[in-house]
Amino acid sequence: MADPASDVQREEGPNAGRFFIPLGPGAEAEMTYRLADGTMIVTHTGVPRAFEGRGIAASLVRALIADARAQGRKITPLCSYVASQFRRHPEWSDLLA
């Protein structure tokens, strides 16, 4: 697998979306969110066990941060992994809803 950060894709509908990274046949990592009043409410981040420990979830979070900044959105991290990343990166605090 190449650098996971370069493989992050985004799908978004009117009320929800997801960031995901295809990892191979039948496998992908994903982060899901709902949209409400300009806020991305992150509900889940998942990486298949066979791919854990490679920084894949962190790549999804970095894509979330970049997208929120580019679109002027705020983030509510209901997902425990994303919430922990916000605690580790105080420079992202301006994005918290």
Side-chain angles (χ1 to χ4, degrees), residues 1-90:
M1 180 177 65
D3 175 22
S6 65
D7 296 330
V8 177
Q9 299 174 43
R10 184 174 66 100
E11 296 176 337
E12 187 172 281
N15 300 313
R18 72 185 190 126
F19 292 91
F20 65 99
I21 301 172
L23 300 171
E28 70 178 14
E30 83 170 344
M31 172 189 299
T32 57
Y33 61 91
R34 295 188 320 264
L35 293 169
D37 300 321
T39 298
M40 302 170 87
I41 304 166
V42 182
T43 56
H44 173 73
T45 303
V47 176
R49 192 169 304 281
F51 294 90
E52 289 178 350
R54 301 182 192 185
I56 294 170
S59 293
L60 292 169
V61 175
R62 285 191 298 273
L64 168 74
I65 297 300
D67 189 74
R69 286 202 190 287
Q71 295 193 22
R73 291 177 167 171
K74 296 289 186 177
I75 299 169
T76 298
L78 299 183
C79 165
S80 60
Y81 177 78
V82 177
S84 71
Q85 290 301 304
F86 266 91
R87 287 190 297 275
R88 291 178 147 192
H89 294 276

